[in-house]
Amino acid sequence: DVVLTQTPVAQPVTLGDQASISCRSSQSLVHSNGNTYLEWYLQKPGQSPQLLIYKVSNRFSGVPDRFIGSGSGSDFTLKISRVEPEDLGVYYCFQATHDPFTFGSGTKLEIK
Amino acid sequence: QIQLVQSGPELKKPGESVKISCKASGYTFTDYAMHWVKQAPGKGLKWMGWINTYTGKPTYADDFKGRFVFSLEASASTANLQISNLKNEDTATYFCGGFGYWGQGVMVTVSS
């Protein structure tokens, strides 16, 4: 199975600053069709996960442009510029290239 | 607007079965696969598998083969998850969704 390693486990930030989360895959996430099915989710306490980014760098409907996904192959990054209070929670990367699909272990974005 | 509304919380004893539902609205039910995700208390997200809403064919991650069954009531735009022979470690919140939208989650508690 594909293992997604997220770092850091926790990211203390000052509101208004930038945060960066890494997601490294145990194998390339490039599908045989040429697409890379790497997604980013935010889960706030007591809520269901919400999709932020799909196919590495595409923002889902309604997601602010402060959220930027990048990367290729097996190395991916989510950057959040100008962190706001509503950005706090646990971020997960998720791959849907290889069966079984898998989530990373999560990164908690918290106030410094 | 797209909505996935799941059934209510369940309290079960070990060895019992449970069936939880996920009713979709706001889109054509057969246009998107339905995925299921497990989240044990205080833990991360775990992908359980998915069901093809057009053909009804389910696919299960290895840890969810045997006691877990995905099914459809396509005429009611509803997907179901049934868990038989419940164990304490099945205590978790179960989410349905995918394609950017998720249900609110169902808390299943297994306790004697």
Side-chain angles (χ1 to χ4, degrees), chain A residues 11-96:
Chain A
Q11 172 80 293
V13 292
T14 301
L15 294 178
D17 280 359
Q18 176 175 282
S20 182
I21 301 169
S22 168
C23 177
R24 288 204 163 101
S25 173
S26 59
Q27 58 185 277
S28 172
L29 297 183
V30 180
H31 193 276
S32 56
N33 66 13
N35 289 315
T36 301
Y37 296 103
L38 187 282
E39 300 173 357
W40 289 96
Y41 288 87
L42 165 60
Q43 187 178 33
K44 300 179 185 179
Q47 295 187 19
S48 49
Q50 52 189 86
L51 178 63
L52 301 172
I53 302 286
Y54 63 97
K55 288 199 280 185
V56 181
S57 59
N58 297 274
R59 275 184 293 274
F60 187 60
S61 173
V63 175
D65 58 10
R66 301 182 291 103
F67 292 87
I68 299 172
S70 63
S72 62
S74 59
D75 196 355
F76 305 92
T77 301
L78 176 69
K79 283 187 168 52
I80 311 154
S81 59
R82 306 180 308 278
V83 170
E84 298 187 5
E86 60 263 31
D87 301 337
L88 303 179
V90 181
Y91 288 79
Y92 296 93
C93 54
F94 173 74
Q95 69 83 20

Side-chain angles (χ1 to χ4, degrees), chain B residues 47-104:
Chain B
W47 184 76
M48 301 173 65
W50 63 286
I51 184 164
N52 184 317
T53 52
Y54 187 75
T55 64
K57 179 179 183 293
T59 299
Y60 303 95
D62 283 348
D63 285 351
F64 301 98
K65 290 178 179 173
R67 298 187 297 114
F68 298 80
V69 176
F70 306 148
S71 63
L72 301 175
E73 296 168 48
S75 60
S77 297
T78 298
N80 300 305
L81 165 62
Q82 184 159 352
I83 312 171
S84 58
N85 189 20
L86 282 161
K87 304 178 187 305
N88 289 334
E89 53 264 37
D90 296 326
T91 294
T93 298
Y94 294 87
F95 297 99
C96 64
F99 62 94
Y101 298 89
W102 293 91
Q104 81 276 19

